[in-house]
């Protein structure tokens, strides 16, 4: 018998089965090989190559500027670091809205050029043609409702969405519609916990919450927020597990001190 331990890959069917048996789904963002490797080794179920890379990696104020080529670069780096997790990639702003052929081409480029497993699109009924066309090519689609950062200039702020009844009703309708179209899961961002619970109970596909309370089928955070690399971002929904900005800064200060004093390198650190 082989001693090689096969890694069982997480697929879209695995995450759907997790919902059915009440097992919570863990999801985090990743944009590069090294971080993806760590998160995968820790046992994360789903890695999202989010367009939040536009903020976190490139320093833009919004997610709008990131391009398809840049998303493919991030996604292919993540794919090379991962053995187990399901890898989902955001279709960036302007690559799928209002033109389903363009949407399909964008999704195909991501799948072919990065080796990722699924794509994520922001929106409900208004993007159904794009979703249908992508699904018809056999590409799994994750939806994203609630606060959809690619529409920030329509919303005006990053505050909680769907607090009013009309928007809440529309969101429930959109979630059911995404399920009917064939999406395998849906992200619910920054909506009231009671609404996220109601949505999660009304559809059979998994809901992944960020700022949607404890009753969604899974949770997602931006890894750089969870690790405290982004220092000045303090939304109520965020739990920080490390203060990495400070830890890295302290280590680098020490290195600078050692270089300046001539303490580094010592005789064991040279040839
Ligand atoms: O881009 C991203 O990181 C996301 C998550 C916040 C869900 O879409």
């Amino acid at each position: 018998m082989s001693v090689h331990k096969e890694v069982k890959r997480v697929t879209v069917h695995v995450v759907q089965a997790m919902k059915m048996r009440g097992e919570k789904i863990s999801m985090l963002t990743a944009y590069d090989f090294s971080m993806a490797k760590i998160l995968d080794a820790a046992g994360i179920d789903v890695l999202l190559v989010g367009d939040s890379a536009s903020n976190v990696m490139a320093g833009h104020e919004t997610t709008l500027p990131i391009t398809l080529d840049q998303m493919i670069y991030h996604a292919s780096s993540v794919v090379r670091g991962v053995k187990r997790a399901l890898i989902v990639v955001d279709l960036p702003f302007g690559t799928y809205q209002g033109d389903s052929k363009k949407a399909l081409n964008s999704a195909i480029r991501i799948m072919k050029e990065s080796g990722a497993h699924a794509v994520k699109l922001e929106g409900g009924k208004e993007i159904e043609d794009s979703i249908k066309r992508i699904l018809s090519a056999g590409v799994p689609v994750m939806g994203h409702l609630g606060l959809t950062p690619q529409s920030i200039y329509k919303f005006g702020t990053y505050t909680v969405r769907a607090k009013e009844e009309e928007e809440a009703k529309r969101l429930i309708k959109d979630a059911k519609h995404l399920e009917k179209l064939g999406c395998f899961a849906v992200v619910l961002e920054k909506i009231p916990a009671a609404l996220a619970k109601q949505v999660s109970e009304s559809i059979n596909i998994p809901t992944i919450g960020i700022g949607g309370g404890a009753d969604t089928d899974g949770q997602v955070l931006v890894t750089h927020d969870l690790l405290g690399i982004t220092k000045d971002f303090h939304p109520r929904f965020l739990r920080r597990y490390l203060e990495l900005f400070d830890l890295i800064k302290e280590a680098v200060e020490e290195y600078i001190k050692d270089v300046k004093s001539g303490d580094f390198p010592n005789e064991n650190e040279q040839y």
Side-chain angles (χ1 to χ4, degrees):
M1 198 171 69
S2 164
V3 288
H4 180 68
K5 235 171 102 189
E6 281 294 321
V7 183
K8 195 166 182 296
R9 273 220 98 108
V10 180
T11 64
V12 295
H13 305 288
V14 168
V15 291
Q16 288 182 321
M18 286 169 83
K19 171 167 180 139
M20 291 307 146
R21 57 174 187 267
E23 184 185 338
K24 294 276 187 182
I25 300 156
S26 62
M27 172 160 135
L28 281 173
T29 59
Y31 319 110
D32 70 280
F33 169 81
S34 303
M35 186 66 84
K37 203 168 174 168
I38 298 171
L39 303 178
D40 193 53
I44 199 76
D45 297 314
V46 185
L47 281 177
L48 172 67
V49 184
D51 59 358
S52 51
S54 178
N55 312 102
V56 173
M57 301 305 281
H60 292 297
E61 261 190 40
T62 72
T63 57
L64 275 63
I66 199 158
T67 66
L68 188 58
D69 284 337
Q70 288 165 341
M71 288 303 294
I72 290 169
Y73 167 77
H74 287 299
S76 51
S77 308
V78 167
V79 166
R80 287 191 286 272
V82 170
K83 289 199 173 81
R84 176 183 172 273
L86 176 73
I87 302 169
V88 182
V89 184
D90 267 333
L91 282 191
F93 177 67
T95 67
Y96 63 94
Q97 298 97 335
D99 183 345
S100 64
K101 279 192 186 156
K102 189 172 178 183
L104 177 60
N105 284 338
S106 307
I108 285 180
R109 278 203 60 202
I110 287 189
M111 302 297 283
K112 257 179 148 36
E113 296 177 39
S114 76
H117 312 129
V119 295
K120 175 163 83 60
L121 281 70
E122 295 183 5
K125 178 118 181 89
E126 71 282 8
I127 56 157
E128 69 174 345
D129 290 344
S130 297
I131 293 176
K132 273 190 205 161
R133 208 179 264 261
I134 295 170
L135 286 168
S136 73
V139 177
V141 173
M142 178 181 271
H144 185 156
L145 298 172
L147 177 67
T148 46
Q150 291 178 11
S151 304
I152 185 58
Y153 292 114
K154 183 176 87 180
F155 298 144
T157 71
Y158 286 100
T159 52
V160 182
R161 302 302 314 171
K163 287 205 309 205
E164 307 302 329
E165 203 182 327
E166 198 187 320
E167 194 181 337
K169 274 189 183 157
R170 204 176 333 122
L171 191 143
I172 295 170
K173 217 169 148 189
D174 271 336
K176 289 183 177 169
H177 196 62
L178 292 180
E179 175 181 36
K180 202 165 143 214
L181 288 174
C183 290
F184 75 92
V186 58
V187 166
L188 300 176
E189 180 163 354
K190 238 178 162 182
I191 61 171
L195 174 61
K197 180 174 193 287
Q198 195 185 342
V199 173
S200 305
E201 286 168 356
S202 357
I203 57 178
N204 289 313
I205 56 171
T207 57
I208 314 284
I210 172 162
D215 292 311
T216 49
D217 303 304
Q219 296 291 330
V220 57
L221 284 175
V222 169
T223 298
H224 289 60
D225 297 336
L226 168 152
L227 295 177
I229 298 174
T230 48
K231 204 172 162 53
D232 304 317
F233 184 58
H234 300 285
R236 180 153 147 192
F237 66 76
L238 174 62
R239 186 180 294 179
R240 276 200 206 290
Y241 289 80
L242 266 181
E243 292 295 343
L244 212 48
F245 183 102
D246 295 327
L247 289 171
I248 293 173
K249 183 166 161 277
E250 280 164 28
V252 173
E253 282 168 353
E254 194 121 330
Y255 166 74
I256 294 168
K257 193 168 88 317
D258 290 349
V259 170
K260 301 276 182 192
S261 69
D263 183 68
F264 175 80
N266 64 27
E267 64 273 17
N268 297 321
E269 294 162 332
Q270 64 190 17
Y271 299 99

